[in-house]
Amino acid sequence: MSDIAATASAAPPVDVSASLPARLAKGFVGRLVIIVPYLWLLFFFLVPFVIVFKISLSQSAISMPPYTPVLDFSSGWSGFVGKLKQLSFDNYLWLTQDALYFKAYLSSVVIAGISTILTLLVGYPIAYGMARAPATIRPTLLMLVILPFWTSFLIRVYAWIGILKPEGLLNQLLLSLHVISEPLVILNTYTAIFIGIVYSYLPFMVLPLYSSLEKMDYSLIEAAKDLGCPPTSAFWKITFPLSLPGVIAGCLLVFIPAVGEFVIPDLLGGSQTLMIGRTLWNEFFSNRDWPVSSAVAVILLLLLIVPIMIFQQAQARAQEQGK
Amino acid sequence: MKSLGSIRRAFAPWNDPNAKPYIQFENVTKKFGDFTAVNNLSLTIFEREFFALLGASGCGKSTLLRMLAGFEEPTAGRIMLDGQDLRGIPPYRRPVNMMFQSYALFPHMSVEKNIAFGLKQEGMPSADIQKRVAEMLRLVKLEQFAKRKPHQLSGGQRQRVALARSVAKRPKVLLLDEPLGALDKKLREETQFELMDLQQELGLTFVVVTHDQEEAMTMADRIAIMDKGEVMQVATPAEIYEAPTSRFVAHFVGNVNMFEGKVADRTAGTARITGASGAQIVVDNGDAKPGSDIVFAIRPEKIKVSSKKPAEGVNALEGEVYDIAYLGDMTVYHVKLDDGQIVRASALNAARISEDPLTWNDRAWVSFRPDAGVVLTR
């Protein structure tokens, strides 16, 4: 947000010799460019959020829509204010009283956290190899990373069922190679969820890592070696710190959607897995309790937005120091 | 006592048959696929020498430097440093440090951390590191910039940080890859002298790669002129300029006039040369065989231009003033000889008032002494 403001104030100086209407028109066009994304965010992010937030303050009801009060002006201004007074934070209180929600949030964050670390461990070597590959084959490698997006996400997750199930491809292969004598139980365990998340979100980790590693000047590594630094130590002292922006961006891109992930735990994790995405789905579709599920969604949003804002603040401060 | 050029050098181990070589390239070849970057090259550099590798881009000079640093291994031949064969020794174990053309400063570290980096790798106690870093900062006059990050510095300051970092470990040899390439002209000239002083002060051996002949001439004790992976000539700047051994070197450094011809006859150390048009000149030469084709190379400032025919005893050729460039400190004349060859001559404007002013299309004589140029057979 502050970036946009800074860009606006740093716009080229207005041509003083131009006539006043021309200058106004110029300023208007400049503003319009900034206004469009703001309008987009207002209508497609802020307004829906306000609606969800309002529903989270309502009470569940057997009606259409399934909550009360419904805000309208049919009974005039005083009626509207009266309805506003019916709103309460009871649903949020309810979330703190039932341990289920707390456990679901916690286990979602833990599962997403572990998955993010695993994705980083798998993704970093891939991105590093791509960045160090000859420049001629880099576009091909990049293409291969993006290629899975050309097939439906749902189909790819279903395919993992075929691979991981007891009589699936993986077990058949291991059995025929005599590595194992009994089929491994992977499907419907946390392991399957981790595999699914790592597989699905790998490109989101690899791409930012690749872009930060690729633009790194290789002579920095040579300089480190020249000053007596063996290759492994040069990696930890130079390459890794310089790729940190990519690491952080990749981790956020994986962690945030993984916390609210619903499809992967549902298909690969079986019925016993407790994740907030599933809880949300249950509240909405099984219990038809829109207010409580809206409260769950609002808390989830706050849960994710707070660390991002802290991170952005830190980054802005670092940039300010850098100047 | 006579010598080439105007410098008398006290430090000249290359003339001492007993001097111990410090760096030796022995028949070194480096190939990248089909491309031969360095071709069967041998070269000796002495301790405390300021040695320059000069050549156009792609001549193999940087490859030579990178082989010394350990970033490339020779395809054939060997490199010796202070009696030790460097083959197989990785860059991080070689007692040489390099100053990179891009400076390669670590962007996430402050100036003092950059300088301390190599010392930390060495396992130096931190009190000593602090002392050494402070000393280095003083040496490059950056004391008040110790806490800055590289991107907060100007180009010239970054160059000095890179220099301080590369000499902090007191390497046996400091390699400099186009050290002044990114600086503007004025700063470059100042820094040339700073580098020379620094080398004297620290007593290190410097090997510098450059494509700028003026830079090499100013700083180096000796220069190796390279072309297509081979060394064309290794000599002091004065020798390179006054006594080039090939047309390539004569052309590469400074301006030169070439007179081509056949040796007509010889008398007492001089040879009479007949040009294609029949004009004759007499030049100093020890061993040109009568009848052989040779080139006489002479620098513009060794040629005198006058409106009257000069006295006997010097070579004099007649022509017409074709172009004049007045540069302030000197004037450059292009004289078109009667056989069509254009001769470049330059005259130092030592006096403010000229006795013999020339203008375009004047008839003029160019003259030079028999020992003013060199005879080239290559």
mmCIF file of all heavy atoms in Angstrom, chain A residues 217 219-231 233-234 237-239 241-242 321-323, chain B residues 66 69 71 91-92 96-98 100 102 104-109 117-118 121 151-152 165-166 169:
data_model
loop_
_atom_site.group_PDB
_atom_site.id
_atom_site.type_symbol
_atom_site.label_atom_id
_atom_site.label_comp_id
_atom_site.label_asym_id
_atom_site.label_seq_id
_atom_site.Cartn_x
_atom_site.Cartn_y
_atom_site.Cartn_z
ATOM 1 N N ASP A 217 24.668 -12.697 -8.645
ATOM 2 C CA ASP A 217 25.921 -12.608 -9.375
ATOM 3 C C ASP A 217 26.842 -13.755 -8.937
ATOM 4 O O ASP A 217 27.211 -13.845 -7.773
ATOM 5 C CB ASP A 217 26.546 -11.247 -9.046
ATOM 6 C CG ASP A 217 27.837 -11.018 -9.790
ATOM 7 O OD1 ASP A 217 28.219 -11.899 -10.584
ATOM 8 O OD2 ASP A 217 28.459 -9.968 -9.568
ATOM 9 N N SER A 219 29.859 -14.184 -9.437
ATOM 10 C CA SER A 219 31.204 -13.788 -9.002
ATOM 11 C C SER A 219 31.262 -13.589 -7.490
ATOM 12 O O SER A 219 32.338 -13.609 -6.909
ATOM 13 C CB SER A 219 31.668 -12.535 -9.746
ATOM 14 O OG SER A 219 30.904 -11.424 -9.364
ATOM 15 N N LEU A 220 30.083 -13.435 -6.822
ATOM 16 C CA LEU A 220 30.075 -13.350 -5.353
ATOM 17 C C LEU A 220 30.562 -14.656 -4.740
ATOM 18 O O LEU A 220 31.304 -14.663 -3.758
ATOM 19 C CB LEU A 220 28.662 -13.028 -4.846
ATOM 20 C CG LEU A 220 28.110 -11.660 -5.204
ATOM 21 C CD1 LEU A 220 26.690 -11.531 -4.687
ATOM 22 C CD2 LEU A 220 28.977 -10.568 -4.623
ATOM 23 N N ILE A 221 30.131 -15.778 -5.333
ATOM 24 C CA ILE A 221 30.562 -17.082 -4.836
ATOM 25 C C ILE A 221 32.057 -17.259 -5.095
ATOM 26 O O ILE A 221 32.802 -17.731 -4.233
ATOM 27 C CB ILE A 221 29.792 -18.219 -5.549
ATOM 28 C CG1 ILE A 221 28.294 -17.977 -5.480
ATOM 29 C CG2 ILE A 221 30.154 -19.579 -4.970
ATOM 30 C CD1 ILE A 221 27.739 -17.950 -4.103
ATOM 31 N N GLU A 222 32.478 -16.819 -6.287
ATOM 32 C CA GLU A 222 33.907 -16.916 -6.604
ATOM 33 C C GLU A 222 34.715 -16.063 -5.636
ATOM 34 O O GLU A 222 35.775 -16.474 -5.179
ATOM 35 C CB GLU A 222 34.154 -16.465 -8.041
ATOM 36 C CG GLU A 222 33.730 -17.515 -9.054
ATOM 37 C CD GLU A 222 34.214 -17.186 -10.461
ATOM 38 O OE1 GLU A 222 34.469 -16.011 -10.736
ATOM 39 O OE2 GLU A 222 34.314 -18.130 -11.260
ATOM 40 N N ALA A 223 34.185 -14.863 -5.313
ATOM 41 C CA ALA A 223 34.888 -13.984 -4.383
ATOM 42 C C ALA A 223 35.003 -14.656 -3.013
ATOM 43 O O ALA A 223 36.054 -14.608 -2.377
ATOM 44 C CB ALA A 223 34.173 -12.653 -4.263
ATOM 45 N N ALA A 224 33.920 -15.302 -2.570
ATOM 46 C CA ALA A 224 33.944 -15.980 -1.272
ATOM 47 C C ALA A 224 34.986 -17.096 -1.276
ATOM 48 O O ALA A 224 35.767 -17.229 -0.334
ATOM 49 C CB ALA A 224 32.563 -16.542 -0.947
ATOM 50 N N LYS A 225 35.013 -17.874 -2.361
ATOM 51 C CA LYS A 225 36.010 -18.952 -2.462
ATOM 52 C C LYS A 225 37.411 -18.375 -2.474
ATOM 53 O O LYS A 225 38.319 -18.882 -1.822
ATOM 54 C CB LYS A 225 35.781 -19.748 -3.744
ATOM 55 C CG LYS A 225 34.607 -20.699 -3.669
ATOM 56 C CD LYS A 225 34.594 -21.561 -4.917
ATOM 57 C CE LYS A 225 33.299 -22.314 -5.056
ATOM 58 N NZ LYS A 225 33.137 -22.866 -6.399
ATOM 59 N N ASP A 226 37.557 -17.282 -3.218
ATOM 60 C CA ASP A 226 38.868 -16.647 -3.345
ATOM 61 C C ASP A 226 39.382 -16.204 -1.981
ATOM 62 O O ASP A 226 40.575 -16.229 -1.717
ATOM 63 C CB ASP A 226 38.749 -15.450 -4.286
ATOM 64 C CG ASP A 226 40.094 -14.837 -4.604
ATOM 65 O OD1 ASP A 226 40.888 -15.525 -5.272
ATOM 66 O OD2 ASP A 226 40.353 -13.704 -4.177
ATOM 67 N N LEU A 227 38.461 -15.810 -1.095
ATOM 68 C CA LEU A 227 38.849 -15.327 0.234
ATOM 69 C C LEU A 227 38.968 -16.462 1.235
ATOM 70 O O LEU A 227 39.042 -16.228 2.436
ATOM 71 C CB LEU A 227 37.847 -14.287 0.720
ATOM 72 C CG LEU A 227 37.872 -12.971 -0.072
ATOM 73 C CD1 LEU A 227 36.648 -12.133 0.216
ATOM 74 C CD2 LEU A 227 39.125 -12.181 0.243
ATOM 75 N N GLY A 228 38.938 -17.716 0.742
ATOM 76 C CA GLY A 228 39.229 -18.842 1.614
ATOM 77 C C GLY A 228 38.020 -19.598 2.108
ATOM 78 O O GLY A 228 38.089 -20.309 3.107
ATOM 79 N N CYS A 229 36.881 -19.440 1.440
ATOM 80 C CA CYS A 229 35.654 -20.061 1.895
ATOM 81 C C CYS A 229 35.371 -21.319 1.073
ATOM 82 O O CYS A 229 35.169 -21.231 -0.133
ATOM 83 C CB CYS A 229 34.535 -19.030 1.675
ATOM 84 S SG CYS A 229 33.166 -19.217 2.752
ATOM 85 N N PRO A 230 35.346 -22.518 1.701
ATOM 86 C CA PRO A 230 35.014 -23.726 0.933
ATOM 87 C C PRO A 230 33.564 -23.654 0.421
ATOM 88 O O PRO A 230 32.749 -22.934 0.998
ATOM 89 C CB PRO A 230 35.175 -24.857 1.941
ATOM 90 C CG PRO A 230 35.922 -24.279 3.082
ATOM 91 C CD PRO A 230 35.645 -22.812 3.093
ATOM 92 N N PRO A 231 33.226 -24.427 -0.639
ATOM 93 C CA PRO A 231 31.914 -24.287 -1.296
ATOM 94 C C PRO A 231 30.711 -24.373 -0.347
ATOM 95 O O PRO A 231 29.801 -23.552 -0.448
ATOM 96 C CB PRO A 231 31.902 -25.433 -2.293
ATOM 97 C CG PRO A 231 33.336 -25.692 -2.573
ATOM 98 C CD PRO A 231 34.082 -25.371 -1.328
ATOM 99 N N SER A 233 30.440 -23.784 2.862
ATOM 100 C CA SER A 233 30.376 -22.618 3.725
ATOM 101 C C SER A 233 30.008 -21.369 2.915
ATOM 102 O O SER A 233 29.282 -20.498 3.394
ATOM 103 C CB SER A 233 31.723 -22.503 4.437
ATOM 104 O OG SER A 233 32.013 -21.223 4.796
ATOM 105 N N ALA A 234 30.473 -21.295 1.655
ATOM 106 C CA ALA A 234 30.117 -20.178 0.780
ATOM 107 C C ALA A 234 28.606 -20.168 0.536
ATOM 108 O O ALA A 234 27.980 -19.113 0.476
ATOM 109 C CB ALA A 234 30.857 -20.262 -0.548
ATOM 110 N N LYS A 237 26.982 -18.770 3.742
ATOM 111 C CA LYS A 237 27.329 -17.382 4.070
ATOM 112 C C LYS A 237 26.897 -16.398 3.000
ATOM 113 O O LYS A 237 26.672 -15.228 3.292
ATOM 114 C CB LYS A 237 28.834 -17.270 4.284
ATOM 115 C CG LYS A 237 29.243 -17.895 5.594
ATOM 116 C CD LYS A 237 30.682 -17.620 5.910
ATOM 117 C CE LYS A 237 30.979 -18.041 7.327
ATOM 118 N NZ LYS A 237 32.105 -18.937 7.407
ATOM 119 N N ILE A 238 26.812 -16.857 1.746
ATOM 120 C CA ILE A 238 26.507 -15.927 0.654
ATOM 121 C C ILE A 238 25.193 -16.303 -0.038
ATOM 122 O O ILE A 238 24.227 -15.525 -0.021
ATOM 123 C CB ILE A 238 27.656 -15.898 -0.383
ATOM 124 C CG1 ILE A 238 29.003 -15.687 0.291
ATOM 125 C CG2 ILE A 238 27.378 -14.849 -1.457
ATOM 126 C CD1 ILE A 238 29.172 -14.375 1.004
ATOM 127 N N THR A 239 25.139 -17.487 -0.621
ATOM 128 C CA THR A 239 23.980 -17.834 -1.447
ATOM 129 C C THR A 239 22.696 -17.801 -0.645
ATOM 130 O O THR A 239 21.726 -17.149 -1.035
ATOM 131 C CB THR A 239 24.160 -19.239 -2.054
ATOM 132 O OG1 THR A 239 25.459 -19.329 -2.611
ATOM 133 C CG2 THR A 239 23.130 -19.501 -3.136
ATOM 134 N N PRO A 241 21.797 -16.462 2.438
ATOM 135 C CA PRO A 241 21.297 -15.154 2.901
ATOM 136 C C PRO A 241 20.758 -14.294 1.757
ATOM 137 O O PRO A 241 19.773 -13.576 1.935
ATOM 138 C CB PRO A 241 22.527 -14.492 3.524
ATOM 139 C CG PRO A 241 23.497 -15.572 3.780
ATOM 140 C CD PRO A 241 23.188 -16.700 2.869
ATOM 141 N N LEU A 242 21.403 -14.381 0.586
ATOM 142 C CA LEU A 242 20.952 -13.539 -0.523
ATOM 143 C C LEU A 242 19.665 -14.065 -1.155
ATOM 144 O O LEU A 242 18.968 -13.336 -1.844
ATOM 145 C CB LEU A 242 22.052 -13.415 -1.575
ATOM 146 C CG LEU A 242 23.240 -12.548 -1.155
ATOM 147 C CD1 LEU A 242 24.301 -12.525 -2.223
ATOM 148 C CD2 LEU A 242 22.785 -11.130 -0.851
ATOM 149 N N GLN A 321 16.221 1.269 5.880
ATOM 150 C CA GLN A 321 17.611 1.305 6.368
ATOM 151 C C GLN A 321 18.594 1.200 5.223
ATOM 152 O O GLN A 321 19.659 1.774 5.245
ATOM 153 C CB GLN A 321 17.851 0.147 7.342
ATOM 154 C CG GLN A 321 17.393 0.473 8.743
ATOM 155 C CD GLN A 321 17.522 -0.693 9.673
ATOM 156 O OE1 GLN A 321 17.772 -1.823 9.231
ATOM 157 N NE2 GLN A 321 17.363 -0.461 10.942
ATOM 158 N N GLY A 322 18.162 0.410 4.221
ATOM 159 C CA GLY A 322 19.050 0.187 3.080
ATOM 160 C C GLY A 322 19.284 1.452 2.277
ATOM 161 O O GLY A 322 20.312 1.597 1.645
ATOM 162 N N LYS A 323 18.345 2.371 2.308
ATOM 163 C CA LYS A 323 18.447 3.549 1.437
ATOM 164 C C LYS A 323 19.536 4.512 1.852
ATOM 165 O O LYS A 323 19.929 4.560 2.971
ATOM 166 C CB LYS A 323 17.095 4.275 1.410
ATOM 167 C CG LYS A 323 16.256 3.733 0.262
ATOM 168 C CD LYS A 323 14.847 4.299 0.294
ATOM 169 C CE LYS A 323 13.944 3.459 -0.609
ATOM 170 N NZ LYS A 323 12.558 3.642 -0.267
ATOM 171 N N ARG B 66 42.368 -16.145 -14.142
ATOM 172 C CA ARG B 66 41.473 -17.078 -13.461
ATOM 173 C C ARG B 66 42.148 -18.408 -13.196
ATOM 174 O O ARG B 66 41.822 -19.093 -12.223
ATOM 175 C CB ARG B 66 40.187 -17.270 -14.266
ATOM 176 C CG ARG B 66 39.297 -16.014 -14.266
ATOM 177 C CD ARG B 66 38.094 -16.157 -15.178
ATOM 178 N NE ARG B 66 37.238 -17.280 -14.784
ATOM 179 C CZ ARG B 66 36.363 -17.228 -13.798
ATOM 180 N NH1 ARG B 66 36.196 -16.119 -13.123
ATOM 181 N NH2 ARG B 66 35.640 -18.283 -13.500
ATOM 182 N N ALA B 69 44.112 -17.825 -10.100
ATOM 183 C CA ALA B 69 43.238 -17.776 -8.923
ATOM 184 C C ALA B 69 42.681 -19.150 -8.578
ATOM 185 O O ALA B 69 42.262 -19.390 -7.446
ATOM 186 C CB ALA B 69 42.100 -16.797 -9.157
ATOM 187 N N PHE B 71 40.133 -20.659 -10.484
ATOM 188 C CA PHE B 71 38.765 -20.849 -10.982
ATOM 189 C C PHE B 71 38.748 -21.693 -12.248
ATOM 190 O O PHE B 71 37.717 -22.235 -12.626
ATOM 191 C CB PHE B 71 38.086 -19.499 -11.239
ATOM 192 C CG PHE B 71 37.966 -18.662 -10.004
ATOM 193 C CD1 PHE B 71 38.380 -17.349 -9.998
ATOM 194 C CD2 PHE B 71 37.452 -19.215 -8.840
ATOM 195 C CE1 PHE B 71 38.287 -16.583 -8.843
ATOM 196 C CE2 PHE B 71 37.349 -18.460 -7.690
ATOM 197 C CZ PHE B 71 37.770 -17.146 -7.690
ATOM 198 N N PRO B 91 40.598 -22.799 -5.241
ATOM 199 C CA PRO B 91 40.809 -21.355 -5.023
ATOM 200 C C PRO B 91 40.896 -20.978 -3.548
ATOM 201 O O PRO B 91 41.650 -20.086 -3.183
ATOM 202 C CB PRO B 91 39.586 -20.698 -5.669
ATOM 203 C CG PRO B 91 38.785 -21.755 -6.305
ATOM 204 C CD PRO B 91 39.476 -23.063 -6.138
ATOM 205 N N TYR B 92 40.094 -21.686 -2.692
ATOM 206 C CA TYR B 92 40.064 -21.278 -1.283
ATOM 207 C C TYR B 92 41.281 -21.731 -0.502
ATOM 208 O O TYR B 92 41.395 -21.460 0.680
ATOM 209 C CB TYR B 92 38.770 -21.747 -0.610
ATOM 210 C CG TYR B 92 38.404 -23.186 -0.838
ATOM 211 C CD1 TYR B 92 38.835 -24.181 0.034
ATOM 212 C CD2 TYR B 92 37.622 -23.560 -1.928
ATOM 213 C CE1 TYR B 92 38.485 -25.498 -0.173
ATOM 214 C CE2 TYR B 92 37.287 -24.878 -2.146
ATOM 215 C CZ TYR B 92 37.721 -25.842 -1.272
ATOM 216 O OH TYR B 92 37.387 -27.149 -1.485
ATOM 217 N N VAL B 96 46.592 -16.613 -3.039
ATOM 218 C CA VAL B 96 46.402 -15.458 -3.914
ATOM 219 C C VAL B 96 45.002 -14.918 -3.675
ATOM 220 O O VAL B 96 44.103 -15.662 -3.307
ATOM 221 C CB VAL B 96 46.551 -15.812 -5.407
ATOM 222 C CG1 VAL B 96 47.910 -16.377 -5.695
ATOM 223 C CG2 VAL B 96 45.476 -16.791 -5.852
ATOM 224 N N ASN B 97 44.827 -13.636 -3.860
ATOM 225 C CA ASN B 97 43.487 -13.044 -3.772
ATOM 226 C C ASN B 97 43.240 -12.220 -5.017
ATOM 227 O O ASN B 97 44.168 -11.772 -5.680
ATOM 228 C CB ASN B 97 43.342 -12.177 -2.526
ATOM 229 C CG ASN B 97 43.124 -13.027 -1.283
ATOM 230 O OD1 ASN B 97 43.656 -12.751 -0.233
ATOM 231 N ND2 ASN B 97 42.355 -14.098 -1.414
ATOM 232 N N MET B 98 41.941 -12.077 -5.319
ATOM 233 C CA MET B 98 41.595 -11.421 -6.571
ATOM 234 C C MET B 98 40.664 -10.242 -6.296
ATOM 235 O O MET B 98 39.799 -10.325 -5.440
ATOM 236 C CB MET B 98 40.892 -12.443 -7.455
ATOM 237 C CG MET B 98 40.484 -11.925 -8.789
ATOM 238 S SD MET B 98 40.584 -13.258 -9.986
ATOM 239 C CE MET B 98 39.415 -12.718 -11.180
ATOM 240 N N PHE B 100 37.830 -8.390 -8.164
ATOM 241 C CA PHE B 100 37.007 -8.695 -9.336
ATOM 242 C C PHE B 100 36.633 -7.431 -10.103
ATOM 243 O O PHE B 100 36.513 -6.351 -9.519
ATOM 244 C CB PHE B 100 35.737 -9.425 -8.898
ATOM 245 C CG PHE B 100 35.996 -10.825 -8.433
ATOM 246 C CD1 PHE B 100 36.518 -11.077 -7.177
ATOM 247 C CD2 PHE B 100 35.734 -11.898 -9.264
ATOM 248 C CE1 PHE B 100 36.774 -12.361 -6.750
ATOM 249 C CE2 PHE B 100 35.979 -13.188 -8.847
ATOM 250 C CZ PHE B 100 36.499 -13.429 -7.590
ATOM 251 N N SER B 102 33.774 -6.719 -11.333
ATOM 252 C CA SER B 102 32.489 -6.215 -10.823
ATOM 253 C C SER B 102 32.590 -5.880 -9.333
ATOM 254 O O SER B 102 31.594 -5.557 -8.715
ATOM 255 C CB SER B 102 31.421 -7.266 -11.031
ATOM 256 O OG SER B 102 31.736 -8.429 -10.302
ATOM 257 N N ALA B 104 32.378 -7.569 -6.879
ATOM 258 C CA ALA B 104 31.808 -8.708 -6.159
ATOM 259 C C ALA B 104 31.762 -8.493 -4.652
ATOM 260 O O ALA B 104 32.076 -9.385 -3.873
ATOM 261 C CB ALA B 104 32.573 -9.997 -6.490
ATOM 262 N N LEU B 105 31.370 -7.296 -4.233
ATOM 263 C CA LEU B 105 31.198 -7.047 -2.791
ATOM 264 C C LEU B 105 29.934 -7.755 -2.324
ATOM 265 O O LEU B 105 28.942 -7.789 -3.050
ATOM 266 C CB LEU B 105 31.090 -5.547 -2.536
ATOM 267 C CG LEU B 105 32.310 -4.720 -2.909
ATOM 268 C CD1 LEU B 105 32.041 -3.246 -2.690
ATOM 269 C CD2 LEU B 105 33.528 -5.161 -2.131
ATOM 270 N N PHE B 106 29.967 -8.309 -1.122
ATOM 271 C CA PHE B 106 28.802 -9.016 -0.611
ATOM 272 C C PHE B 106 27.742 -7.986 -0.214
ATOM 273 O O PHE B 106 27.950 -7.206 0.718
ATOM 274 C CB PHE B 106 29.182 -9.896 0.577
ATOM 275 C CG PHE B 106 30.300 -10.849 0.246
ATOM 276 C CD1 PHE B 106 31.408 -10.947 1.054
ATOM 277 C CD2 PHE B 106 30.245 -11.646 -0.898
ATOM 278 C CE1 PHE B 106 32.449 -11.817 0.748
ATOM 279 C CE2 PHE B 106 31.269 -12.509 -1.219
ATOM 280 C CZ PHE B 106 32.372 -12.593 -0.395
ATOM 281 N N PRO B 107 26.608 -7.965 -0.912
ATOM 282 C CA PRO B 107 25.654 -6.869 -0.706
ATOM 283 C C PRO B 107 24.993 -6.886 0.667
ATOM 284 O O PRO B 107 24.512 -5.859 1.124
ATOM 285 C CB PRO B 107 24.618 -7.088 -1.810
ATOM 286 C CG PRO B 107 24.775 -8.491 -2.254
ATOM 287 C CD PRO B 107 26.188 -8.884 -1.969
ATOM 288 N N HIS B 108 24.979 -8.056 1.338
ATOM 289 C CA HIS B 108 24.292 -8.127 2.629
ATOM 290 C C HIS B 108 25.232 -7.871 3.796
ATOM 291 O O HIS B 108 24.840 -8.030 4.943
ATOM 292 C CB HIS B 108 23.606 -9.476 2.782
ATOM 293 C CG HIS B 108 24.532 -10.649 2.629
ATOM 294 N ND1 HIS B 108 25.284 -10.847 1.507
ATOM 295 C CD2 HIS B 108 24.816 -11.663 3.462
ATOM 296 C CE1 HIS B 108 26.001 -11.953 1.660
ATOM 297 N NE2 HIS B 108 25.742 -12.464 2.829
ATOM 298 N N MET B 109 26.477 -7.497 3.498
ATOM 299 C CA MET B 109 27.428 -7.248 4.583
ATOM 300 C C MET B 109 27.928 -5.804 4.508
ATOM 301 O O MET B 109 28.060 -5.245 3.433
ATOM 302 C CB MET B 109 28.628 -8.185 4.445
ATOM 303 C CG MET B 109 28.305 -9.647 4.605
ATOM 304 S SD MET B 109 29.826 -10.596 4.472
ATOM 305 C CE MET B 109 29.149 -12.234 4.239
ATOM 306 N N PHE B 117 35.852 -10.612 5.973
ATOM 307 C CA PHE B 117 35.385 -11.938 5.536
ATOM 308 C C PHE B 117 36.531 -12.945 5.390
ATOM 309 O O PHE B 117 36.491 -14.030 5.955
ATOM 310 C CB PHE B 117 34.623 -11.805 4.209
ATOM 311 C CG PHE B 117 33.944 -13.070 3.777
ATOM 312 C CD1 PHE B 117 32.676 -13.362 4.236
ATOM 313 C CD2 PHE B 117 34.575 -13.957 2.925
ATOM 314 C CE1 PHE B 117 32.041 -14.539 3.843
ATOM 315 C CE2 PHE B 117 33.948 -15.136 2.535
ATOM 316 C CZ PHE B 117 32.681 -15.416 3.004
ATOM 317 N N GLY B 118 37.547 -12.558 4.630
ATOM 318 C CA GLY B 118 38.667 -13.461 4.373
ATOM 319 C C GLY B 118 39.442 -13.783 5.639
ATOM 320 O O GLY B 118 39.918 -14.906 5.818
ATOM 321 N N GLN B 121 37.654 -16.392 7.684
ATOM 322 C CA GLN B 121 37.832 -17.719 7.088
ATOM 323 C C GLN B 121 39.155 -18.321 7.533
ATOM 324 O O GLN B 121 39.279 -19.522 7.702
ATOM 325 C CB GLN B 121 37.815 -17.635 5.554
ATOM 326 C CG GLN B 121 36.497 -17.206 4.969
ATOM 327 C CD GLN B 121 35.365 -18.060 5.451
ATOM 328 O OE1 GLN B 121 35.462 -19.288 5.440
ATOM 329 N NE2 GLN B 121 34.298 -17.441 5.903
ATOM 330 N N HIS B 151 25.862 -0.840 -1.389
ATOM 331 C CA HIS B 151 25.034 -0.038 -2.281
ATOM 332 C C HIS B 151 24.892 1.403 -1.817
ATOM 333 O O HIS B 151 24.310 2.221 -2.519
ATOM 334 C CB HIS B 151 23.660 -0.685 -2.474
ATOM 335 C CG HIS B 151 22.827 -0.706 -1.240
ATOM 336 N ND1 HIS B 151 21.863 0.233 -0.982
ATOM 337 C CD2 HIS B 151 22.848 -1.534 -0.181
ATOM 338 C CE1 HIS B 151 21.320 -0.030 0.191
ATOM 339 N NE2 HIS B 151 21.898 -1.095 0.694
ATOM 340 N N GLN B 152 25.418 1.706 -0.627
ATOM 341 C CA GLN B 152 25.369 3.091 -0.136
ATOM 342 C C GLN B 152 26.642 3.853 -0.482
ATOM 343 O O GLN B 152 26.828 4.962 -0.020
ATOM 344 C CB GLN B 152 25.177 3.093 1.382
ATOM 345 C CG GLN B 152 23.838 2.509 1.816
ATOM 346 C CD GLN B 152 23.803 2.246 3.301
ATOM 347 O OE1 GLN B 152 24.595 1.455 3.809
ATOM 348 N NE2 GLN B 152 22.910 2.899 3.999
ATOM 349 N N ARG B 165 39.499 -5.404 0.680
ATOM 350 C CA ARG B 165 39.127 -6.787 0.986
ATOM 351 C C ARG B 165 40.142 -7.767 0.395
ATOM 352 O O ARG B 165 40.482 -8.760 1.025
ATOM 353 C CB ARG B 165 37.727 -7.074 0.427
ATOM 354 C CG ARG B 165 37.184 -8.408 0.857
ATOM 355 C CD ARG B 165 35.808 -8.666 0.305
ATOM 356 N NE ARG B 165 35.840 -8.889 -1.130
ATOM 357 C CZ ARG B 165 34.769 -9.195 -1.855
ATOM 358 N NH1 ARG B 165 33.586 -9.293 -1.282
ATOM 359 N NH2 ARG B 165 34.864 -9.383 -3.142
ATOM 360 N N SER B 166 40.612 -7.448 -0.815
ATOM 361 C CA SER B 166 41.496 -8.416 -1.462
ATOM 362 C C SER B 166 42.935 -8.367 -0.936
ATOM 363 O O SER B 166 43.672 -9.332 -1.099
ATOM 364 C CB SER B 166 41.459 -8.230 -2.982
ATOM 365 O OG SER B 166 41.823 -6.910 -3.315
ATOM 366 N N LYS B 169 44.142 -10.056 3.476
ATOM 367 C CA LYS B 169 44.761 -11.320 3.896
ATOM 368 C C LYS B 169 46.259 -11.364 3.609
ATOM 369 O O LYS B 169 46.899 -12.369 3.857
ATOM 370 C CB LYS B 169 44.080 -12.494 3.184
ATOM 371 C CG LYS B 169 42.725 -12.842 3.769
ATOM 372 C CD LYS B 169 42.104 -13.993 3.029
ATOM 373 C CE LYS B 169 42.603 -15.324 3.555
ATOM 374 N NZ LYS B 169 41.880 -16.441 2.939
#
